[in-house]
Amino acid sequence: QVQLVESGGGLVQPGRSLRLSCAASGFTFSRYAMSWYRQAPGKERELVAVISSAGGSTNYADSVKGRFTISRDNAKNTVYLQMNSLKPEDTAVYYCNAVRTSFGLEYWGQGTQVTVSS
């Protein structure tokens, strides 16, 4: 049974940090590119950051470059999103995504709420 379980969300003041985690099970984690997406109320889901299967390549949305860092630990089947200098506009539900494009496989987590407010 495939599972992606996000954790680490919550309420934080502007300028502070949070680290999200996504624990994967039920598939060969190390063969999947992993991404974080987010969706704010009334807005489309958007890609925040992506990391390649081996972790050697990353990409970020312009809105989070220099503030967020995606990383993964293939031994622990976990992907992380370190979020620094948080802004109110970062408020959203954050989703973990696993994709293996060559096989047409994609999985989603249930999401974790991040609220940035004073």
Side-chain angles (χ1 to χ4, degrees), residues 47-113:
L47 177 64
V48 175
V50 57
I51 187 166
S52 60
S53 57
S57 177
T58 58
N59 273 296
Y60 299 89
D62 287 343
S63 58
V64 307
K65 278 181 182 175
R67 300 188 298 121
F68 290 11
T69 302
I70 188 170
S71 61
R72 66 190 295 161
D73 185 338
N74 284 352
K76 295 183 178 179
N77 288 356
T78 302
V79 62
Y80 305 96
L81 185 68
Q82 178 67 42
M83 305 185 294
N84 299 330
S85 303
L86 283 161
K87 304 175 181 180
E89 51 263 44
D90 294 318
T91 295
V93 178
Y94 283 72
Y95 296 91
C96 179
N97 170 274
V99 64
R100 192 173 180 186
T101 305
S102 56
F103 284 76
L105 297 172
E106 184 174 28
Y107 309 118
W108 290 92
Q110 83 289 349
T112 186
Q113 176 70 47

Side-chain angles (χ1 to χ4, degrees), residues 10-18 84-88 115-118:
L11 173 63
V12 64
Q13 293 180 329
R16 304 298 292 266
S17 298
L18 276 179
N84 299 330
S85 303
L86 283 161
K87 304 175 181 180
T115 302
V116 184
S117 174
S118 55

